[in-house]
Amino acid sequence: MYDPKSRVAEEFINDQEIRDTLAYAEEHKSDAPLLMSILDKAAQFKGLTHREAAVLLACDVKEVNDRIFETAIKVKEHIYGSRIVLFAPLYLSNYCVNTCTYCPYHAKNKSIVRKKLTQEEIRNEVIALQDLGHKRLLLEAGEHPKHNPIEYILESIKTIYSIKHKNGAIRRLNVNIAATTVENYRKLHEAEIGTYQLFQETYNRKAYEELHPKGPKSDYAYHTEAHDRAMEGGIDDVGLGVLFGLDLCRYDFVGLLMHAEHLEAVWGVGPHTISVPRICPADDIDPASFENAVPDDLFLKIVALIRMAVPYTGMIMSTREGQRIRTEALKLGISQISGGSRTSVGGYAIRSVQEMEEKTEQFETNDRRSLDEIVRWLLENHYLPSFCTACYRAGRTGDRFMEWAKDGSIATYCQANAIMTMKEYMCDYASKETREAGERVIANELPKIPHEKIRIASEKRLIRIADGERDFRF
């Protein structure tokens, strides 16, 4: 029985409800009045239900699809403006006891080099990331009770936050580790993590169990209910995601939106982020062996519809995708991207990066540009790169963040904070060409700060940043 308020996985992600939704979408995909009414609703920035979004996904009428993309762009610009948040993943360990068929970390893979960073190696990685200009990291590790226990994760978090090198500091550390207990989530909350991210991979239980034959991750219900345990443990910013291409994307698209609705129904707070990775090559993984690969045009439509359905959420795209797709996706809904990423354990500080990536990486990166190149690319395309972490540090998380995000008023702070963090990056890390592009964008973006007092204060703080002061925020 479908019940979005239930905390039982098979009730809030109900197979029959998904199948009924897909059937309804197929039946109504050419219903012009219904399609127009759904698009009109989306244009009001109030979101869509999973069933409404499924109808739009099923529609193959060019005029409707054109309006879907136009509406997504409108929603993205209203909520996020030109701001794009930047981050980098930090892989601590690739030891794993699971046997996931799509991940090279799986326990049966004998060709991958296993590595776990010591605290000193973590320190070196973080300094290397700070020297690139990063302020926000995503911590990643395989699931292994001996090599990667919660105590190791907590010690690593403490190490990461403690490192101050030159003008560098990691101001927000998000965490993507395996589903765990309420007690452990409480420990992560006390360690002051930002967002807890956990990808479902696929919401189709039968497919999920085939893809995860052995190991703790094979427990579908325990994994699917993890975000509720995280919220119970005090972590009020959680992130969702599926790995598109593992199962039929329409099924997972509906399941993903149902999960967002469930969090809203139970906790009054939807997902802080939604990630949209696609299956891609890795050590012993060939994406051609997965028959449900998602073509680019359909993938971009999914991005647009998630933005319309969950307008307040941060949407994340990693370097799995190349420059062309990331360029298109930024217009349609993506608000956070990784830059200068390494998906190998020790990939930032170890001299022979290419050698390490060939032996320890989780997946191939298709966008291998440096952080400075990514920042300049964003600036040249009239985006405002942001290294802001102010909401997290000011306690604007969970329902406090959502209250501001849903009505768009968060832009009062976000615009100013993005400009100031971009100025920091320009002063400390940027190339000459990037600094020049940054000055042009800041001059264009400053007048867009909606609150006059904050705008005037920002102008004064930019001068102080140029004179060497750091870490201003509203």
Side-chain angles (χ1 to χ4, degrees), residues 85 155 321 423 463:
V85 172
E155 183 184 10
E321 299 295 339
K423 182 68 172 181
I463 296 172

Side-chain angles (χ1 to χ4, degrees), residues 1-41:
M1 178 180 173
Y2 174 53
D3 180 4
K5 292 186 177 181
S6 170
R7 288 184 56 178
V8 176
E10 289 196 311
E11 294 178 359
F12 67 81
I13 305 293
N14 181 261
D15 177 74
Q16 191 58 53
E17 171 62 20
I18 295 178
R19 296 187 185 282
D20 289 348
T21 294
L22 294 175
Y24 176 87
E26 187 66 24
E27 181 182 352
H28 292 87
K29 66 180 183 180
S30 301
D31 185 338
L34 176 62
L35 293 165
M36 291 303 106
S37 69
I38 295 173
L39 285 165
D40 288 342
K41 177 184 176 183

Side-chain angles (χ1 to χ4, degrees), residues 75 108 132 154 162 180 237 260 263 293 304 362 404-405 435 452:
V75 172
K108 294 182 179 180
L132 293 176
L154 295 170
S162 73
T180 186
D237 284 350
L263 293 175
Q362 189 184 38
W404 293 73
R435 285 197 302 273
E452 184 180 7

Side-chain angles (χ1 to χ4, degrees), residues 80 85 87 136 138 174 195 197 199 238-242 272-278 299 303 306-307 313-319 321 326 329-330 333-338:
Y80 286 95
V85 172
F87 74 96
R136 175 191 299 242
L138 174 61
N174 299 331
T195 303
Q197 295 182 12
F199 299 167
V238 297
L240 304 179
V242 294
H272 190 76
T273 60
I274 292 178
S275 299
V276 288
R278 280 193 291 181
F299 181 59
V303 169
I306 293 173
R307 170 52 63 216
T313 195
M315 286 187 66
I316 300 174
M317 181 170 281
S318 75
T319 49
E321 299 295 339
R326 299 226 288 180
L330 284 171
I334 298 300
S335 58
Q336 298 185 25
I337 62 171
S338 51

Side-chain angles (χ1 to χ4, degrees), residues 355-402:
E355 180 182 354
M356 282 302 302
E357 288 201 332
E358 288 173 352
K359 294 179 179 179
T360 71
E361 69 176 358
Q362 189 184 38
F363 58 85
E364 289 184 12
T365 54
N366 286 310
D367 192 340
R368 290 178 172 266
R369 291 173 293 174
S370 68
L371 178 60
D372 191 72
E373 289 172 320
I374 293 286
V375 170
R376 187 163 65 253
W377 164 65
L378 290 172
L379 292 167
E380 290 172 349
N381 283 277
H382 311 292
Y383 290 106
L384 174 59
S386 174
F387 296 87
C388 176
T389 59
C391 283
Y392 155 71
R393 298 166 76 206
R396 291 192 296 266
T397 60
D399 56 359
R400 296 167 299 289
F401 172 81
M402 290 299 174

Side-chain angles (χ1 to χ4, degrees), residues 169-447:
I170 301 306
R171 299 173 180 167
R172 178 176 181 132
L173 180 61
N174 299 331
V175 172
N176 183 347
I177 61 170
T180 186
T181 63
V182 173
E183 179 185 0
N184 284 344
Y185 286 125
R186 191 168 288 116
K187 292 176 181 177
L188 289 170
H189 174 60
E190 291 168 355
E192 299 184 343
I193 71 165
T195 303
Y196 172 68
Q197 295 182 12
L198 183 68
F199 299 167
Q200 182 61 27
E201 320 301 1
T202 178
Y203 285 96
N204 184 322
R205 179 164 189 159
K206 183 175 183 295
Y208 181 96
E209 291 174 347
E210 291 172 352
L211 291 161
H212 307 89
K214 290 183 179 180
K217 194 170 179 177
S218 63
D219 188 334
Y220 173 87
Y222 188 77
H223 187 86
T224 310
E225 295 160 6
H227 298 86
D228 290 282
R229 294 194 300 277
M231 299 285 272
E232 186 177 342
I235 301 174
D236 52 7
D237 284 350
V238 297
L240 304 179
V242 294
L243 184 51
F244 284 105
L246 291 182
D247 192 55
L248 295 174
C249 65
R250 286 175 171 79
Y251 189 105
D252 283 331
F253 172 78
V254 174
L256 181 65
L257 296 185
M258 287 170 66
H259 203 161
E261 291 167 357
H262 160 72
L263 293 175
E264 185 79 47
V266 175
W267 302 100
V269 180
H272 190 76
T273 60
I274 292 178
S275 299
V276 288
R278 280 193 291 181
I279 188 74
C280 70
D283 180 71
D284 66 340
I285 306 299
D286 180 3
S289 64
F290 295 88
E291 60 185 21
N292 296 309
V294 183
D296 291 349
D297 56 348
L298 180 57
F299 181 59
L300 290 172
K301 187 176 180 181
I302 287 171
V303 169
L305 288 171
I306 293 173
R307 170 52 63 216
M308 292 161 60
V310 199
Y312 57 80
T313 195
M315 286 187 66
I316 300 174
M317 181 170 281
S318 75
T319 49
R320 283 176 181 266
E321 299 295 339
Q323 181 175 342
R324 184 182 69 82
I325 292 298
R326 299 226 288 180
T327 299
E328 292 300 314
L330 284 171
K331 299 177 199 172
L332 298 171
I334 298 300
S335 58
Q336 298 185 25
I337 62 171
S338 51
S341 300
R342 302 296 182 188
T343 65
S344 51
V345 181
Y348 297 102
I350 292 175
R351 183 172 298 172
S352 180
V353 170
Q354 184 63 37
E355 180 182 354
M356 282 302 302
E357 288 201 332
E358 288 173 352
K359 294 179 179 179
T360 71
E361 69 176 358
Q362 189 184 38
F363 58 85
E364 289 184 12
T365 54
N366 286 310
D367 192 340
R368 290 178 172 266
R369 291 173 293 174
S370 68
L371 178 60
D372 191 72
E373 289 172 320
I374 293 286
V375 170
R376 187 163 65 253
W377 164 65
L378 290 172
L379 292 167
E380 290 172 349
N381 283 277
H382 311 292
Y383 290 106
L384 174 59
S386 174
F387 296 87
C388 176
T389 59
C391 283
Y392 155 71
R393 298 166 76 206
R396 291 192 296 266
T397 60
D399 56 359
R400 296 167 299 289
F401 172 81
M402 290 299 174
E403 180 183 355
W404 293 73
K406 289 180 180 179
D407 66 8
S409 57
I410 194 69
T412 300
Y413 300 103
C414 289
Q415 186 74 2
N417 289 328
I419 289 170
M420 290 188 296
T421 58
M422 183 60 215
K423 182 68 172 181
E424 284 187 351
Y425 176 83
M426 289 158 54
C427 291
D428 292 339
Y429 308 105
S431 64
K432 180 177 181 291
E433 295 81 5
T434 301
R435 285 197 302 273
E436 291 172 351
E439 293 294 353
R440 291 192 295 270
V441 168
I442 286 177
N444 184 61
E445 294 294 330
L446 260 174

